């Protein structure tokens, strides 16, 4: 059971770190919390059996990194649009072409 | 992104057809498109809807334009720069020319429809990038027969706003036809309720409408909804569509140049 918690905890923690790095950082909270829970369960199981705790420490470390990064990004994130120069150009060209094309159309219908 | 526009367009040809008293040239609506999972929201793009006047030597048309642009944090992962536009008669909102110029994560597609309302046909051009051709593009031209009243997706969004929804009763159902990807798609809409919701432009009383597509898998289930302000402007302030996990959302950010 302890092994299962460690594996699940490690997978969740790695997944949380990956999400925290991506623009999807808001969703890193789910696997990070799952990772923490699995880590705590593995820790409690291991304490009774007096087993080594290195992997559990790694799980805690990864989840804390993920949580810190996700929190930082959610506070500082700005929702600004990137470079739209090309789109504006396409927009303008498209209107010019459309006017040319619409010259021949009969609007009486 | 096309589902987003399709979803918006799938709002109805409701009830009595009123004169367009909902919008004018110079209107600009800005939305935030996002993904919501269990209350956690991630914004990924900005969508703008703008209207302007276009003059040819013989007449004046209304240009209806929708643009979608991903936020800068997404640009390195999946960059979207979409342009949808339609040139319509300002009085009847009949479309004459529709263009869709999309660039989504490196995937480019250009679609053009020239409407002929006398013969009820559409001359369609689909263009994609291809290395197999000298020009660098693969073109497909076709003539599509349409039903009278079929509109493109952008015109439909605006057409919905020109309708006299206030005369409709809760529970009213109607269908209408949109030409998308060279195919006519029928959709059913239901006027679900009148609700007051909080938006970035204030607390608004809205018409809540449910959208269902007939013979199309783009929008499944009964959780595809749109809220239009229950005033003369009928501004789409909020839209929600069901995805496999979580919901896609479109929230209004600003509205300028409103007619009323």
């Amino acid at each position: 059971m302890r092994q299962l918690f460690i594996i699940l905890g490690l997978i969740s923690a790695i997944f949380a770190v990956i999400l925290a790095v991506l623009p999807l950082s808001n969703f890193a909270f789910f696997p990070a919390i799952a990772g923490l829970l699995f880590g705590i369960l593995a820790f409690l199981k291991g304490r009774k059996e007096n087993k080594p705790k290195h992997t559990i420490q790694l799980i805690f470390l990864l989840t804390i990194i993920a949580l810190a990064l996700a929190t930082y990004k959610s506070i500082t994130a700005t929702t600004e649009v990137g470079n739209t120069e090309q789109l504006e150009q396409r927009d303008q060209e498209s209107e010019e072409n459309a006017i040319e094309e619409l010259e021949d159309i009969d609007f009486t219908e | 992104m096309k589902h987003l526009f399709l979803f918006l367009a799938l709002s109805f040809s409701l009830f009595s057809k009123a004169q367009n008293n909902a919008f004018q040239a110079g209107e600009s609506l800005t939305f935030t498109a996002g993904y919501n999972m269990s209350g956690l929201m991630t914004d990924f793009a900005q969508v703008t809807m703008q209207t302007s006047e276009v003059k040819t030597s013989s007449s004046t048309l209304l240009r209806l334009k929708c643009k979608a642009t991903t936020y800068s944090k997404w640009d390195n992962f999946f960059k979207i720069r979409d342009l949808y536009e339609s040139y319509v008669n300002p009085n009847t909102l009949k479309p004459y020319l529709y263009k869709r110029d999309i660039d989504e994560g490196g995937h480019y597609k250009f679609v053009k429809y020239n409407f002929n309302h006398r013969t009820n046909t559409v001359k369609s051009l689909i263009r994609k990038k291809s290395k197999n051709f000298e020009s660098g593009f693969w073109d497909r031209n076709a003539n599509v027969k349409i039903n009278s009243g079929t509109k493109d997706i952008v015109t439909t969004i605006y057409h919905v706003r020109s309708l006299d929804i206030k005369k409709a009763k809760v529970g009213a159902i109607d269908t209408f036809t949109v030409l998308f990807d060279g195919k006519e798609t029928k959709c059913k809409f239901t006027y679900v309720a009148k609700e007051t919701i909080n938006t970035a432009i204030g607390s608004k009383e809205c018409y809540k409408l449910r959208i269902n597509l007939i013979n199309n898998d783009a929008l499944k289930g009964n959780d595809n909804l749109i809220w239009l302000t229950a005033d003369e402007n009928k501004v789409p302030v909020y839209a929600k569509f069901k995805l496999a996990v979580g919901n896609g959302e479109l929230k209004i950010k600003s509205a300028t140049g409103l007619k009323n």
Side-chain angles (χ1 to χ4, degrees), chain A residues 22-23 26-27 79-84 88 90-91 94-95 98-99 101-103 106-109, chain B residues 40-42 54 57 59 61 63 65 67 69 71-73 77 81 85 87 96 99 101 112 114 118:
Chain A
L22 293 172
N26 274 0
F27 300 120
T79 48
E80 58 183 32
V81 168
N83 182 13
T84 57
E88 298 303 331
R90 268 160 57 199
D91 178 356
S94 178
E95 185 174 353
I99 291 170
E101 217 165 320
L102 290 163
E103 287 289 349
D106 177 13
F107 297 107
T108 51
E109 267 300 303
Chain B
L40 279 182
M41 179 87 178
T42 289
V54 169
S57 57
S59 58
L61 292 162
R63 184 188 190 207
K65 184 174 72 180
K67 279 200 274 194
T69 317
Y71 288 121
S72 52
K73 64 177 177 179
F77 296 92
R81 297 287 185 271
E85 54 185 330
Y87 296 80
Y96 290 98
K99 291 200 237 183
D101 187 351
K112 187 170 78 173
N114 290 80
R118 194 170 288 170

Side-chain angles (χ1 to χ4, degrees), chain B residues 66-205:
Chain B
C66 294
K67 279 200 274 194
T69 317
T70 38
Y71 288 121
S72 52
K73 64 177 177 179
W74 283 98
D75 280 354
N76 290 330
F77 296 92
F78 195 80
K79 189 175 174 178
I80 294 174
R81 297 287 185 271
D82 287 357
L83 175 66
Y84 291 68
E85 54 185 330
S86 189
Y87 296 80
V88 302
N89 181 318
N91 300 317
T92 61
L93 296 182
K94 264 189 181 179
Y96 290 98
L97 178 65
Y98 162 81
K99 291 200 237 183
R100 175 178 165 218
D101 187 351
I102 63 164
D103 185 354
E104 296 175 350
H107 167 75
Y108 173 82
K109 192 175 179 183
F110 175 76
V111 177
K112 187 170 78 173
Y113 297 149
N114 290 80
F115 287 82
N116 187 332
H117 297 290
R118 194 170 288 170
T119 56
N120 277 339
T121 53
V122 169
K123 203 174 108 187
S124 117
L125 165 71
I126 298 173
R127 175 173 291 162
K128 287 177 185 176
K129 273 185 184 163
S130 171
K131 286 172 188 163
N132 301 333
F133 297 89
E134 217 174 281
S135 63
F137 295 104
W138 170 88
D139 282 5
R140 193 181 73 188
N141 288 287
N143 271 308
V144 183
K145 193 93 185 140
I146 56 163
N147 291 308
S148 166
T150 297
K151 289 181 165 58
D152 63 80
I153 204 159
V154 180
T155 312
T156 309
I157 296 168
Y158 280 92
H159 177 65
V160 165
R161 294 179 56 197
S162 72
L163 301 168
D164 217 355
I165 305 173
K166 65 173 178 278
K167 288 181 183 165
K169 285 181 183 156
V170 169
I173 295 173
D174 203 354
T175 55
F176 84 115
T177 317
V178 181
L179 185 67
F180 197 80
D181 275 344
K183 274 184 261 169
E184 284 184 303
T185 305
K186 278 201 184 288
C187 63
K188 187 178 85 173
F189 67 91
T190 313
Y191 175 22
V192 181
K194 211 178 212 184
E195 273 183 8
T196 303
I197 60 167
N198 287 318
T199 69
I201 56 168
S203 178
K204 297 279 178 191
E205 189 178 36

